Structures are given as C-alpha cells and as structure tokens.
Amino acid sequence: IMTRVAIIGSRGRMGQTLCRLAEEGPELELASAADQGDDLRAALAAADASIEFAHHSATKPTLELSLELQKPLVIGTTGHDEAELAAIREAATKLPIVFAPNYSVGVNTLFWLTRKAATILGSGFDREIVEMHHKMKVDAPSGTAKRLGEILAEVQGAPYDDVIQNGRAGETGARTPEEIGMHALRGGDVVGDHTVYFAGIGERIELTHRATSRETFAAGALRAAAWLTSQPAGLYSMQDVLGLKD
C-alpha cells in the first residue's frame, strides 16, 4: 500500500532530501510539502502521515493540527524545551508519534551498542561523548549526543542532568567516576559524527558513527512514516521501528 507523506520543513536541508527520496521511493508518495508561511493544515490533510524536520517552535502547531486531523507524525526536529517535550508526550496519548533524535539505522545500532557496552563494562570505565556537526547547526549538543548521554545515565541509574558534564574549562579538579563528558564541535559541512568513549585503565573502547550523507536520516524517517500508519496511539522511537528494543 502506497503511503502518502507530508514533509514539514521542506525548504531545509533535511526537508529537501526527504522530498526527493519520497518522490523516488516505490512505496511512498510525496503528497505535500510545507514550510514557514505555507498552509500547514492543507499539507497535513493531504497525507496519511507527516514528517517534521523544522525549528522546534514549529512542533507545537504541527502537533495540534495532527491531533485534530488524526494524522500520524514523525518528529525529527531537535532542541525542544521542556514545555514542547511535554506537548509531544501528551499528544502521543491520542496519536501515533515517532520521536527520535536520529533516524539513521547505523546511529540506532550505535544506541543499542552503547547500552550493551555500558552494561558490560560497568563503573570501571569513564564515559565521554564527542559529537561534530556543520557550522550552521543551531543547537548543541546534538539530539543524538543527548540520547547517547541519556542511555549512559540510564545504565548508571542516575538523572541525566546530575551526571552530564558539558565541556571543561579552567581548574575543574579530577574527573569524578560518575560524570559523563559531553563535547560539541562545529565546523565546515560535517553531516554528523558521534563517538562514545569508554576509557579504562590500560585500555579504551571507542564506538563511532560517521554520517556522510543526509540520505541515511531521510530514508530512516520515511521508513518510520510508513511503519507508523499501522500503529496505535503511542510515543515510539526508531528503536521500535527497527525492532531493536530489548
């Protein structure tokens, strides 16, 4: 069955890639595309599901219309504040939503591997995250890096905000065993690099994913949209789409 998709944020880098792949895909049809100033209601009404890659301020109006029209929604936007995150969680009680910091199959494998490695290695290894993106990215750290930090904090059994150390400067003192270092680099046209370091005494494990094309994210988001049309209301991740949940 052909899935008709609406692309919200269609003039952005990801939006343009999504539109192109949706037009080329044999199982998808690009029903509509919208960006700031366009008729969002008409765009959503024309589709079976929508995919949003826009500024985080666009998510709430997209959610409200998606609920009204009962159109499943894939959210790829990052940088939401707590109120916006709460709105997403509330909407998911009445609407199927996939909300993921990264739609790459490879990155979602990295999430899975990070959880496994953290569980196996335990507290004897210090954990640091380094991410790099293009110079135009407006939020830091990336949503993907935050999710990696959340996974490490979950395994550790600690709240994210209590253990994340965003960068270091000056006389910080010795590193504590509990902290998780988070470091954001920006420059050039880097699509997205993420490395999780597990540093022990006499050995180090590095888990790295490097994206060289936005197509990997777009393909995953389109896959999520097709999957979502047959799901009940709920808040899903790309781990659900790929069957990677433990």
Side-chain angles (χ1 to χ4, degrees):
I1 299 174
M2 186 78 74
T3 301
R4 298 171 302 156
V5 294
I7 307 302
I8 312 304
S10 57
R11 290 193 285 274
R13 289 183 181 86
M14 273 298 299
Q16 292 174 40
T17 304
L18 281 161
C19 288
R20 178 170 57 79
L21 289 188
E23 288 178 326
E24 295 172 356
E27 299 175 359
L28 294 162
E29 176 189 339
L30 180 61
S32 58
D35 212 309
Q36 190 172 5
D38 296 334
D39 188 339
L40 184 59
R41 177 184 291 275
L44 294 177
D48 299 316
S50 59
I51 303 172
E52 184 204 68
F53 274 84
H55 189 266
H56 63 87
S57 60
T59 299
K60 200 165 182 182
T62 303
L63 277 172
E64 290 169 354
L65 280 172
S66 296
L67 276 167
E68 182 185 330
L69 299 170
Q70 280 297 291
K71 300 290 184 176
L73 176 62
V74 175
I75 303 173
T77 305
T78 60
H80 298 98
D81 61 28
E82 282 305 317
E84 290 162 342
L85 292 173
I88 293 169
R89 289 190 291 268
E90 172 62 26
T93 64
K94 303 171 185 173
L95 190 74
I97 295 173
V98 174
F99 181 38
N102 195 302
Y103 285 85
S104 154
V105 174
V107 161
N108 279 276
T109 303
L110 174 64
F111 291 156
W112 189 87
L113 290 169
T114 297
R115 186 178 297 279
K116 289 297 181 185
T119 302
I120 293 166
L121 296 173
S123 59
F125 284 72
D126 297 322
R127 294 128 301 165
E128 298 278 318
I129 299 165
V130 178
E131 58 100 337
M132 184 171 187
H133 285 79
H134 57 88
K135 61 186 177 183
M136 303 300 289
K137 187 169 177 61
V138 297
D139 58 315
S142 70
T144 300
K146 283 184 178 178
R147 182 60 197 138
L148 289 165
E150 287 168 358
I151 290 167
L152 293 175
E154 287 164 11
V155 172
Q156 194 171 319
Y160 176 90
D161 290 334
D162 289 356
V163 292
I164 290 294
Q165 175 67 48
N166 286 294
R168 297 184 180 89
E171 285 197 34
T172 59
R175 187 191 193 285
T176 66
E178 295 81 17
E179 69 187 68
I180 299 166
M182 180 74 74
H183 313 279
L185 312 181
R186 295 289 177 267
D189 61 354
V190 178
V191 174
D193 293 354
H194 295 87
T195 298
V196 182
Y197 293 87
F198 295 92
I201 303 302
E203 59 182 339
R204 183 171 73 249
I205 295 171
E206 301 175 13
L207 300 176
T208 297
H209 177 273
R210 292 189 177 92
T212 56
S213 168
R214 285 183 178 80
E215 287 192 7
T216 183
F217 310 120
L222 290 166
R223 181 172 172 176
W227 177 86
L228 195 58
T229 56
S230 61
Q231 304 304 314
L235 187 59
Y236 302 98
S237 73
M238 197 60 185
Q239 302 278 299
D240 294 302
V241 178
L242 298 173
L244 290 174
K245 281 286 181 75
D246 289 335

